[in-house]
Amino acid sequence: MTVRRAAPMMALVTLALLVTACGSHHPVALPHHKAQVAKKVAKAPIDVTFTAATHGAIPGSPAPGAPENMTVPGSWYGYPSILPVVASQKGWVEVRLAQRPNESTVWVPASDVTISETPYQLVLNLTTEHLSVYDLGKEILDFPAGIGTPDDPTVTGDYFITMKVPPPDPGYGPFVLVTSAHSDTITDWAESGDAIIAIHGPITTYDDELIGTTGAAISHGCIRLHDADLSQLSMIPAGTPLDIVAS
């Protein structure tokens, strides 16, 4: 995605600490015609995902019309909250959240968001150790990936890209795609308060060699790609779904 504004320096520093959990382990109101939001069936590629950009911090409810039980933040580490829509009812949309717990969703008033869409979908297969990219349901890219080790595995589930940020250092590649997934085995990396899974470069030449053409289990949960492969994901916008599967 094209970042509209840079994150505050403190947010970038904090985020860099959070995604360091991937360090090495060497051997609007929803228009009527959009009411039928595309849903994944058995992890099948989807044609389009509707996304909801919040109008600042907005109220969230456990069900349409139910009393507010949380506030959906208007930004996440300095970047706008652009959240995938997973369901809708008249006047309401259900969105996926970036915060813990993993795969959290909440209903928000449709009038509090602006609806857009993304044609892209990412699917990480932990068994094949490959990341596939789909455009309108058609696979357009497939990359070998570095994934979490058995001790610190990459979590499975339905997630999304929350933002694209500058790399904390050159080893992380041209940019970092931060996701809504959080490690299940690491709750507080380096006293940062979280351990967010991200997609980034291989960090070291040795890790790059391990990923090779087949992929490898080498990280603390993050998803590593060759720099040349990562650079091809520059068009992926916030809100793009990321499905992490194990078969």
Side-chain angles (χ1 to χ4, degrees), residues 152-167:
D152 292 313
T154 304
V155 294
T156 59
D158 297 331
Y159 305 104
F160 65 98
I161 302 301
T162 61
M163 67 193 82
K164 182 173 72 175
V165 303

Side-chain angles (χ1 to χ4, degrees), residues 13-47:
V13 171
T14 303
L15 193 58
L17 288 173
L18 292 174
V19 301
T20 307
C22 16
S24 290
H25 247 335
H26 295 313
V28 193
L30 195 64
H32 179 72
H33 73 280
K34 291 184 177 179
Q36 296 301 317
V37 177
K39 285 196 170 185
K40 296 182 287 293
V41 178
K43 307 301 180 183
I46 56 181
D47 289 340

Side-chain angles (χ1 to χ4, degrees), residues 97-163:
L97 296 174
Q99 299 85 2
R100 289 184 187 269
N102 280 333
E103 301 183 274
S104 296
T105 66
V106 68
W107 288 88
V108 299
S111 58
D112 285 345
V113 299
T114 297
I115 299 295
S116 299
E117 59 188 52
T118 171
Y120 300 108
Q121 177 189 12
L122 307 179
V123 178
L124 175 68
N125 190 313
L126 299 179
T127 300
T128 64
E129 297 176 344
H130 271 67
L131 177 74
S132 298
V133 183
Y134 295 86
D135 183 354
L136 294 175
K138 179 181 179 181
E139 184 178 297
I140 59 170
L141 297 167
D142 182 73
F143 304 128
I147 64 171
T149 66
D151 287 341
D152 292 313
T154 304
V155 294
T156 59
D158 297 331
Y159 305 104
F160 65 98
I161 302 301
T162 61
M163 67 193 82

